[in-house]
Amino acid sequence: MADAPQIPDEAEVRARWGAFAWTPENAEQAKTVIARYPAGRQRSAVMPLLDLAQRQVGAETQTQGWLPVPVIEYVAAQLDMPYIRAYEVATFYTMYNLAPVGRYHVQVCGTTPCLLRGSDDVMAACKNRGMVKGKTTPDGLFTLTEVECMGTCTNAPMVQINDDNYEDLDYDSTVRLLDDLAAGKQPKTGPQNPKRHTSEPEGGPTTLKDMVKANHDYRKDW
């Protein structure tokens, strides 16, 4: 557990976030989300509301965002559910951060397909930039986390950074990716292999070639 994120002191957290409330825009968004569910089932909105709350915290701190306990309590109270039920959701899904993270939350997949395709090189590029698993760099820019499969096995190895996936990585492309983010640039998302647009074979299609060509021509004309 040495690389587990460190949750700040509770007194500090409550002093900073004890008065959390939705911004006017997010308050309207929360109402819209809750209205999607039948009467008596509003608690089903807990996941999107926790995500919304995390994004608001992120906007206020210029980071990817996290869920302080008072923020989880706020969401639970709005949905009239016990705090522990909301906390169970927040602790189950890795999309929720229970401790502060940096502006860019770098989640490196270390599951077998990515490992076989070179995720160790991706992790090495992160570490050579001063990143340590479970911690945020001193400049507050990057937080490094190793995660399990995120469903992009065809284009392994990959990382998810905030809301974006970056695929077909190696050491050099990971370095470029991190350099661009540090410089305030928005790197190209998805496959970093120039031979790929999505998850098609690197050498081009092997079946249904006519259909693929027609689709490509249509997009080109459009």
Side-chain angles (χ1 to χ4, degrees):
M1 299 296 292
D3 59 351
Q6 300 300 308
I7 299 177
D9 178 77
E10 182 177 357
E12 295 177 6
V13 171
R14 290 201 175 276
R16 173 65 179 86
W17 298 105
F20 176 86
W22 295 124
T23 63
E25 295 80 8
N26 284 345
E28 289 302 313
Q29 178 63 21
K31 291 179 182 178
T32 299
V33 169
I34 294 172
R36 296 172 184 165
Y37 300 92
R41 300 292 182 181
Q42 288 84 357
R43 293 180 180 183
S44 298
V46 63
M47 289 188 67
L49 289 195
L50 287 175
D51 179 69
L52 183 64
Q54 179 166 278
R55 292 176 186 276
Q56 179 170 317
V57 171
E60 293 183 21
T61 58
Q62 294 300 298
T63 67
Q64 201 230 354
W66 68 293
L67 289 174
V69 167
V71 174
I72 302 176
E73 291 173 340
Y74 180 86
V75 170
Q78 182 172 16
L79 296 175
D80 191 27
M81 64 189 300
Y83 158 74
I84 191 61
R85 297 303 184 197
Y87 184 73
E88 287 172 345
V89 174
T91 56
F92 183 82
Y93 294 99
T94 57
M95 64 183 282
Y96 304 116
N97 302 314
L98 299 180
V101 295
R103 185 179 305 171
Y104 301 109
H105 187 190
V106 182
Q107 300 179 78
V108 179
C109 178
T111 311
T112 305
C114 281
L115 185 63
L116 292 174
R117 293 274 292 173
S119 63
D120 282 348
D121 293 334
V122 175
M123 187 65 75
C126 294
K127 290 183 176 180
N128 287 344
R129 196 178 179 84
M131 300 162 66
V132 178
K133 283 196 296 182
K135 299 186 182 300
T136 301
T137 53
D139 59 8
L141 205 56
F142 296 108
T143 299
L144 178 62
T145 305
E146 183 175 357
V147 297
E148 295 303 315
C149 182
M150 291 189 283
T152 316
C153 307
T154 303
N155 296 359
M158 63 84 65
V159 301
Q160 179 178 322
I161 302 179
N162 294 359
D163 290 331
D164 296 317
N165 285 0
Y166 300 90
E167 306 150 14
D168 286 321
L169 294 169
D170 56 22
Y171 181 90
D172 291 336
S173 59
T174 304
V175 169
R176 289 193 298 271
L177 170 61
L178 298 175
D179 285 346
D180 283 347
L181 291 172
K185 301 176 182 178
Q186 176 55 60
K188 171 184 173 293
T189 59
Q192 303 302 299
N193 183 339
K195 298 179 181 179
R196 246 206 271 258
H197 294 287
T198 54
S199 57
E200 69 274 19
E202 291 184 18
T206 58
T207 58
L208 303 176
K209 293 184 178 182
D210 291 340
M211 186 177 76
V212 172
K213 182 179 183 304
N215 186 50
H216 178 271
D217 292 343
Y218 170 78
R219 290 185 178 182
K220 185 177 179 181
D221 293 339
W222 186 81

